[in-house]
mmCIF file of all heavy atoms in Angstrom:
data_model
loop_
_atom_site.group_PDB
_atom_site.id
_atom_site.type_symbol
_atom_site.label_atom_id
_atom_site.label_comp_id
_atom_site.label_asym_id
_atom_site.label_seq_id
_atom_site.Cartn_x
_atom_site.Cartn_y
_atom_site.Cartn_z
ATOM 1 N N PRO A 170 -26.498 -14.290 -12.171
ATOM 2 C CA PRO A 170 -25.441 -13.339 -11.782
ATOM 3 C C PRO A 170 -24.789 -13.740 -10.461
ATOM 4 O O PRO A 170 -25.440 -14.302 -9.586
ATOM 5 C CB PRO A 170 -26.202 -12.016 -11.638
ATOM 6 C CG PRO A 170 -27.621 -12.387 -11.401
ATOM 7 C CD PRO A 170 -27.837 -13.677 -12.128
ATOM 8 N N SER A 171 -23.489 -13.460 -10.352
ATOM 9 C CA SER A 171 -22.754 -13.882 -9.148
ATOM 10 C C SER A 171 -22.958 -12.893 -8.005
ATOM 11 O O SER A 171 -23.098 -11.687 -8.215
ATOM 12 C CB SER A 171 -21.270 -14.020 -9.473
ATOM 13 O OG SER A 171 -20.774 -12.791 -9.983
ATOM 14 N N VAL A 172 -22.977 -13.449 -6.802
ATOM 15 C CA VAL A 172 -23.232 -12.655 -5.594
ATOM 16 C C VAL A 172 -22.041 -12.757 -4.648
ATOM 17 O O VAL A 172 -21.587 -13.857 -4.328
ATOM 18 C CB VAL A 172 -24.475 -13.187 -4.845
ATOM 19 C CG1 VAL A 172 -24.688 -12.426 -3.534
ATOM 20 C CG2 VAL A 172 -25.722 -13.089 -5.723
ATOM 21 N N GLY A 173 -21.534 -11.617 -4.199
ATOM 22 C CA GLY A 173 -20.489 -11.592 -3.177
ATOM 23 C C GLY A 173 -21.051 -11.025 -1.887
ATOM 24 O O GLY A 173 -21.920 -10.153 -1.911
ATOM 25 N N LEU A 174 -20.570 -11.537 -0.771
ATOM 26 C CA LEU A 174 -20.976 -11.012 0.535
ATOM 27 C C LEU A 174 -19.867 -10.090 1.029
ATOM 28 O O LEU A 174 -18.710 -10.517 1.168
ATOM 29 C CB LEU A 174 -21.185 -12.172 1.524
ATOM 30 C CG LEU A 174 -21.529 -11.786 2.965
ATOM 31 C CD1 LEU A 174 -22.890 -11.082 3.046
ATOM 32 C CD2 LEU A 174 -21.535 -13.032 3.853
ATOM 33 N N LEU A 175 -20.204 -8.843 1.291
ATOM 34 C CA LEU A 175 -19.188 -7.871 1.686
ATOM 35 C C LEU A 175 -18.664 -8.197 3.080
ATOM 36 O O LEU A 175 -19.422 -8.297 4.047
ATOM 37 C CB LEU A 175 -19.765 -6.455 1.659
ATOM 38 C CG LEU A 175 -18.759 -5.302 1.757
ATOM 39 C CD1 LEU A 175 -17.711 -5.381 0.664
ATOM 40 C CD2 LEU A 175 -19.466 -3.967 1.705
ATOM 41 N N ASN A 176 -17.359 -8.392 3.154
ATOM 42 C CA ASN A 176 -16.727 -8.764 4.418
ATOM 43 C C ASN A 176 -15.390 -8.042 4.516
ATOM 44 O O ASN A 176 -15.024 -7.301 3.615
ATOM 45 C CB ASN A 176 -16.553 -10.294 4.461
ATOM 46 C CG ASN A 176 -16.370 -10.820 5.883
ATOM 47 O OD1 ASN A 176 -16.136 -10.056 6.818
ATOM 48 N ND2 ASN A 176 -16.476 -12.117 6.034
ATOM 49 N N ILE A 177 -14.682 -8.255 5.610
ATOM 50 C CA ILE A 177 -13.411 -7.558 5.746
ATOM 51 C C ILE A 177 -12.227 -8.462 5.457
ATOM 52 O O ILE A 177 -11.094 -8.089 5.671
ATOM 53 C CB ILE A 177 -13.255 -6.881 7.123
ATOM 54 C CG1 ILE A 177 -13.277 -7.893 8.252
ATOM 55 C CG2 ILE A 177 -14.350 -5.855 7.334
ATOM 56 C CD1 ILE A 177 -12.875 -7.285 9.578
ATOM 57 N N GLY A 178 -12.490 -9.652 4.963
ATOM 58 C CA GLY A 178 -11.388 -10.523 4.571
ATOM 59 C C GLY A 178 -11.979 -11.731 3.909
ATOM 60 O O GLY A 178 -13.154 -12.019 4.075
ATOM 61 N N GLU A 179 -11.170 -12.404 3.119
ATOM 62 C CA GLU A 179 -11.718 -13.540 2.390
ATOM 63 C C GLU A 179 -11.823 -14.791 3.255
ATOM 64 O O GLU A 179 -12.545 -15.715 2.946
ATOM 65 C CB GLU A 179 -10.874 -13.833 1.152
ATOM 66 C CG GLU A 179 -11.170 -12.822 0.047
ATOM 67 C CD GLU A 179 -9.987 -12.595 -0.858
ATOM 68 O OE1 GLU A 179 -9.122 -13.478 -0.941
ATOM 69 O OE2 GLU A 179 -9.923 -11.510 -1.463
ATOM 70 N N GLU A 180 -11.057 -14.806 4.333
ATOM 71 C CA GLU A 180 -11.091 -15.994 5.172
ATOM 72 C C GLU A 180 -12.435 -16.109 5.892
ATOM 73 O O GLU A 180 -13.008 -15.110 6.316
ATOM 74 C CB GLU A 180 -9.994 -15.950 6.234
ATOM 75 C CG GLU A 180 -8.613 -15.868 5.653
ATOM 76 C CD GLU A 180 -8.043 -14.473 5.805
ATOM 77 O OE1 GLU A 180 -7.457 -14.215 6.854
ATOM 78 O OE2 GLU A 180 -8.194 -13.657 4.877
ATOM 79 N N VAL A 181 -12.886 -17.315 6.035
ATOM 80 C CA VAL A 181 -14.186 -17.550 6.665
ATOM 81 C C VAL A 181 -14.189 -17.075 8.118
ATOM 82 O O VAL A 181 -15.214 -16.676 8.660
ATOM 83 C CB VAL A 181 -14.542 -19.048 6.597
ATOM 84 C CG1 VAL A 181 -15.862 -19.323 7.300
ATOM 85 C CG2 VAL A 181 -14.635 -19.496 5.144
ATOM 86 N N ILE A 182 -13.035 -17.094 8.730
ATOM 87 C CA ILE A 182 -12.962 -16.777 10.165
ATOM 88 C C ILE A 182 -13.257 -15.307 10.466
ATOM 89 O O ILE A 182 -13.684 -14.945 11.558
ATOM 90 C CB ILE A 182 -11.560 -17.163 10.710
ATOM 91 C CG1 ILE A 182 -11.580 -17.244 12.221
ATOM 92 C CG2 ILE A 182 -10.509 -16.192 10.229
ATOM 93 C CD1 ILE A 182 -10.264 -17.753 12.794
ATOM 94 N N LYS A 183 -13.056 -14.459 9.460
ATOM 95 C CA LYS A 183 -13.212 -13.024 9.705
ATOM 96 C C LYS A 183 -14.670 -12.582 9.696
ATOM 97 O O LYS A 183 -15.554 -13.323 9.321
ATOM 98 C CB LYS A 183 -12.431 -12.246 8.646
ATOM 99 C CG LYS A 183 -10.922 -12.371 8.833
ATOM 100 C CD LYS A 183 -10.225 -11.400 7.936
ATOM 101 C CE LYS A 183 -8.707 -11.503 8.115
ATOM 102 N NZ LYS A 183 -8.001 -10.663 7.144
ATOM 103 N N GLY A 184 -14.898 -11.363 10.059
ATOM 104 C CA GLY A 184 -16.223 -10.776 9.953
ATOM 105 C C GLY A 184 -16.992 -10.815 11.252
ATOM 106 O O GLY A 184 -16.614 -11.475 12.214
ATOM 107 N N SER A 185 -18.075 -10.087 11.248
ATOM 108 C CA SER A 185 -18.922 -10.013 12.424
ATOM 109 C C SER A 185 -19.752 -11.283 12.533
ATOM 110 O O SER A 185 -19.786 -12.107 11.624
ATOM 111 C CB SER A 185 -19.841 -8.805 12.295
ATOM 112 O OG SER A 185 -20.683 -8.973 11.182
ATOM 113 N N GLU A 186 -20.448 -11.430 13.654
ATOM 114 C CA GLU A 186 -21.258 -12.632 13.869
ATOM 115 C C GLU A 186 -22.328 -12.778 12.786
ATOM 116 O O GLU A 186 -22.557 -13.869 12.263
ATOM 117 C CB GLU A 186 -21.918 -12.569 15.257
ATOM 118 C CG GLU A 186 -20.939 -12.828 16.401
ATOM 119 C CD GLU A 186 -20.110 -14.088 16.183
ATOM 120 O OE1 GLU A 186 -20.700 -15.142 15.895
ATOM 121 O OE2 GLU A 186 -18.867 -14.008 16.279
ATOM 122 N N VAL A 187 -22.980 -11.659 12.469
ATOM 123 C CA VAL A 187 -24.034 -11.717 11.449
ATOM 124 C C VAL A 187 -23.460 -12.150 10.100
ATOM 125 O O VAL A 187 -24.052 -12.961 9.380
ATOM 126 C CB VAL A 187 -24.745 -10.344 11.325
ATOM 127 C CG1 VAL A 187 -25.618 -10.293 10.079
ATOM 128 C CG2 VAL A 187 -25.576 -10.066 12.568
ATOM 129 N N ILE A 188 -22.292 -11.617 9.771
ATOM 130 C CA ILE A 188 -21.684 -11.933 8.476
ATOM 131 C C ILE A 188 -21.300 -13.406 8.401
ATOM 132 O O ILE A 188 -21.466 -14.066 7.368
ATOM 133 C CB ILE A 188 -20.446 -11.031 8.235
ATOM 134 C CG1 ILE A 188 -20.887 -9.589 8.026
ATOM 135 C CG2 ILE A 188 -19.641 -11.517 7.029
ATOM 136 C CD1 ILE A 188 -21.725 -9.366 6.790
ATOM 137 N N LYS A 189 -20.804 -13.942 9.497
ATOM 138 C CA LYS A 189 -20.436 -15.369 9.495
ATOM 139 C C LYS A 189 -21.669 -16.228 9.240
ATOM 140 O O LYS A 189 -21.641 -17.163 8.448
ATOM 141 C CB LYS A 189 -19.795 -15.751 10.828
ATOM 142 C CG LYS A 189 -18.377 -15.224 10.985
ATOM 143 C CD LYS A 189 -17.801 -15.668 12.327
ATOM 144 C CE LYS A 189 -16.618 -14.796 12.723
ATOM 145 N NZ LYS A 189 -16.199 -14.997 14.103
ATOM 146 N N LYS A 190 -22.774 -15.883 9.919
ATOM 147 C CA LYS A 190 -24.005 -16.657 9.722
ATOM 148 C C LYS A 190 -24.548 -16.454 8.302
ATOM 149 O O LYS A 190 -25.045 -17.389 7.677
ATOM 150 C CB LYS A 190 -25.067 -16.224 10.746
ATOM 151 C CG LYS A 190 -24.778 -16.704 12.159
ATOM 152 C CD LYS A 190 -25.953 -16.339 13.072
ATOM 153 C CE LYS A 190 -25.511 -16.020 14.482
ATOM 154 N NZ LYS A 190 -26.485 -15.186 15.203
ATOM 155 N N ALA A 191 -24.463 -15.209 7.821
ATOM 156 C CA ALA A 191 -24.963 -14.925 6.471
ATOM 157 C C ALA A 191 -24.161 -15.698 5.430
ATOM 158 O O ALA A 191 -24.713 -16.201 4.452
ATOM 159 C CB ALA A 191 -24.881 -13.423 6.193
ATOM 160 N N SER A 192 -22.870 -15.822 5.677
ATOM 161 C CA SER A 192 -22.007 -16.543 4.750
ATOM 162 C C SER A 192 -22.455 -17.999 4.634
ATOM 163 O O SER A 192 -22.548 -18.557 3.530
ATOM 164 C CB SER A 192 -20.570 -16.446 5.254
ATOM 165 O OG SER A 192 -19.681 -16.930 4.300
ATOM 166 N N GLU A 193 -22.774 -18.605 5.772
ATOM 167 C CA GLU A 193 -23.292 -19.984 5.795
ATOM 168 C C GLU A 193 -24.594 -20.096 5.013
ATOM 169 O O GLU A 193 -24.805 -21.002 4.211
ATOM 170 C CB GLU A 193 -23.579 -20.408 7.250
ATOM 171 C CG GLU A 193 -22.352 -20.733 8.060
ATOM 172 C CD GLU A 193 -21.605 -21.908 7.459
ATOM 173 O OE1 GLU A 193 -22.238 -22.951 7.249
ATOM 174 O OE2 GLU A 193 -20.403 -21.739 7.156
ATOM 175 N N LEU A 194 -25.479 -19.145 5.291
ATOM 176 C CA LEU A 194 -26.806 -19.163 4.688
ATOM 177 C C LEU A 194 -26.717 -18.987 3.161
ATOM 178 O O LEU A 194 -27.401 -19.678 2.398
ATOM 179 C CB LEU A 194 -27.621 -18.025 5.306
ATOM 180 C CG LEU A 194 -29.142 -18.069 5.227
ATOM 181 C CD1 LEU A 194 -29.696 -19.360 5.781
ATOM 182 C CD2 LEU A 194 -29.718 -16.882 6.021
ATOM 183 N N LEU A 195 -25.862 -18.078 2.727
ATOM 184 C CA LEU A 195 -25.714 -17.845 1.293
ATOM 185 C C LEU A 195 -25.070 -19.050 0.613
ATOM 186 O O LEU A 195 -25.402 -19.386 -0.525
ATOM 187 C CB LEU A 195 -24.893 -16.574 1.046
ATOM 188 C CG LEU A 195 -25.596 -15.263 1.409
ATOM 189 C CD1 LEU A 195 -24.646 -14.078 1.291
ATOM 190 C CD2 LEU A 195 -26.808 -15.023 0.519
ATOM 191 N N ARG A 196 -24.166 -19.702 1.345
ATOM 192 C CA ARG A 196 -23.531 -20.899 0.804
ATOM 193 C C ARG A 196 -24.601 -21.982 0.582
ATOM 194 O O ARG A 196 -24.616 -22.663 -0.450
ATOM 195 C CB ARG A 196 -22.453 -21.389 1.778
ATOM 196 C CG ARG A 196 -21.262 -22.052 1.118
ATOM 197 C CD ARG A 196 -20.116 -22.255 2.119
ATOM 198 N NE ARG A 196 -19.572 -20.985 2.590
ATOM 199 C CZ ARG A 196 -18.736 -20.220 1.872
ATOM 200 N NH1 ARG A 196 -18.359 -20.602 0.665
ATOM 201 N NH2 ARG A 196 -18.292 -19.076 2.357
ATOM 202 N N THR A 197 -25.493 -22.116 1.555
ATOM 203 C CA THR A 197 -26.586 -23.084 1.424
ATOM 204 C C THR A 197 -27.474 -22.721 0.231
ATOM 205 O O THR A 197 -27.850 -23.590 -0.567
ATOM 206 C CB THR A 197 -27.443 -23.097 2.707
ATOM 207 O OG1 THR A 197 -26.570 -23.280 3.823
ATOM 208 C CG2 THR A 197 -28.468 -24.212 2.679
ATOM 209 N N ALA A 198 -27.782 -21.434 0.113
ATOM 210 C CA ALA A 198 -28.613 -20.981 -1.009
ATOM 211 C C ALA A 198 -27.918 -21.239 -2.336
ATOM 212 O O ALA A 198 -28.569 -21.553 -3.343
ATOM 213 C CB ALA A 198 -28.937 -19.499 -0.858
ATOM 214 N N GLY A 199 -26.592 -21.128 -2.344
ATOM 215 C CA GLY A 199 -25.837 -21.443 -3.557
ATOM 216 C C GLY A 199 -25.960 -22.921 -3.891
ATOM 217 O O GLY A 199 -26.151 -23.305 -5.052
ATOM 218 N N ALA A 200 -25.884 -23.753 -2.850
ATOM 219 C CA ALA A 200 -25.934 -25.207 -3.054
ATOM 220 C C ALA A 200 -27.310 -25.658 -3.542
ATOM 221 O O ALA A 200 -27.427 -26.628 -4.289
ATOM 222 C CB ALA A 200 -25.563 -25.923 -1.753
ATOM 223 N N THR A 201 -28.367 -24.963 -3.120
ATOM 224 C CA THR A 201 -29.722 -25.357 -3.530
ATOM 225 C C THR A 201 -30.152 -24.666 -4.829
ATOM 226 O O THR A 201 -31.301 -24.776 -5.227
ATOM 227 C CB THR A 201 -30.746 -25.019 -2.425
ATOM 228 O OG1 THR A 201 -30.623 -23.631 -2.102
ATOM 229 C CG2 THR A 201 -30.501 -25.843 -1.174
ATOM 230 N N GLY A 202 -29.240 -23.930 -5.442
ATOM 231 C CA GLY A 202 -29.555 -23.334 -6.748
ATOM 232 C C GLY A 202 -30.346 -22.036 -6.679
ATOM 233 O O GLY A 202 -30.830 -21.543 -7.692
ATOM 234 N N ASP A 203 -30.456 -21.470 -5.480
ATOM 235 C CA ASP A 203 -31.198 -20.212 -5.363
ATOM 236 C C ASP A 203 -30.341 -19.013 -5.730
ATOM 237 O O ASP A 203 -30.859 -17.940 -6.031
ATOM 238 C CB ASP A 203 -31.725 -20.045 -3.937
ATOM 239 C CG ASP A 203 -32.875 -20.999 -3.665
ATOM 240 O OD1 ASP A 203 -33.882 -20.899 -4.379
ATOM 241 O OD2 ASP A 203 -32.736 -21.859 -2.778
ATOM 242 N N LEU A 204 -29.033 -19.197 -5.664
ATOM 243 C CA LEU A 204 -28.109 -18.097 -5.896
ATOM 244 C C LEU A 204 -26.863 -18.628 -6.573
ATOM 245 O O LEU A 204 -26.525 -19.809 -6.417
ATOM 246 C CB LEU A 204 -27.616 -17.530 -4.564
ATOM 247 C CG LEU A 204 -28.492 -16.682 -3.688
ATOM 248 C CD1 LEU A 204 -27.704 -16.332 -2.444
ATOM 249 C CD2 LEU A 204 -28.910 -15.429 -4.432
ATOM 250 N N ASN A 205 -26.145 -17.726 -7.232
ATOM 251 C CA ASN A 205 -24.801 -18.041 -7.684
ATOM 252 C C ASN A 205 -23.853 -17.344 -6.714
ATOM 253 O O ASN A 205 -23.410 -16.229 -6.952
ATOM 254 C CB ASN A 205 -24.635 -17.532 -9.120
ATOM 255 C CG ASN A 205 -23.239 -17.718 -9.645
ATOM 256 O OD1 ASN A 205 -22.402 -18.336 -8.999
ATOM 257 N ND2 ASN A 205 -22.979 -17.162 -10.817
ATOM 258 N N PHE A 206 -23.607 -18.028 -5.575
ATOM 259 C CA PHE A 206 -22.826 -17.384 -4.504
ATOM 260 C C PHE A 206 -21.333 -17.561 -4.738
ATOM 261 O O PHE A 206 -20.825 -18.676 -4.791
ATOM 262 C CB PHE A 206 -23.231 -17.953 -3.145
ATOM 263 C CG PHE A 206 -22.534 -17.280 -1.978
ATOM 264 C CD1 PHE A 206 -22.526 -15.903 -1.861
ATOM 265 C CD2 PHE A 206 -21.897 -18.032 -0.995
ATOM 266 C CE1 PHE A 206 -21.886 -15.272 -0.793
ATOM 267 C CE2 PHE A 206 -21.253 -17.412 0.073
ATOM 268 C CZ PHE A 206 -21.253 -16.032 0.178
#
Side-chain angles (χ1 to χ4, degrees):
Chain A
S171 57
V172 176
L174 176 65
L175 193 56
N176 200 347
I177 62 170
E179 283 151 23
E180 300 105 87
V181 178
I182 197 174
K183 289 190 180 174
S185 63
E186 286 310 309
V187 167
I188 291 296
K189 286 181 199 168
K190 287 185 213 157
S192 190
E193 285 298 307
L194 200 54
L195 290 173
R196 212 169 295 282
T197 308
T201 55
D203 288 300
L204 286 178
N205 176 7
F206 184 51

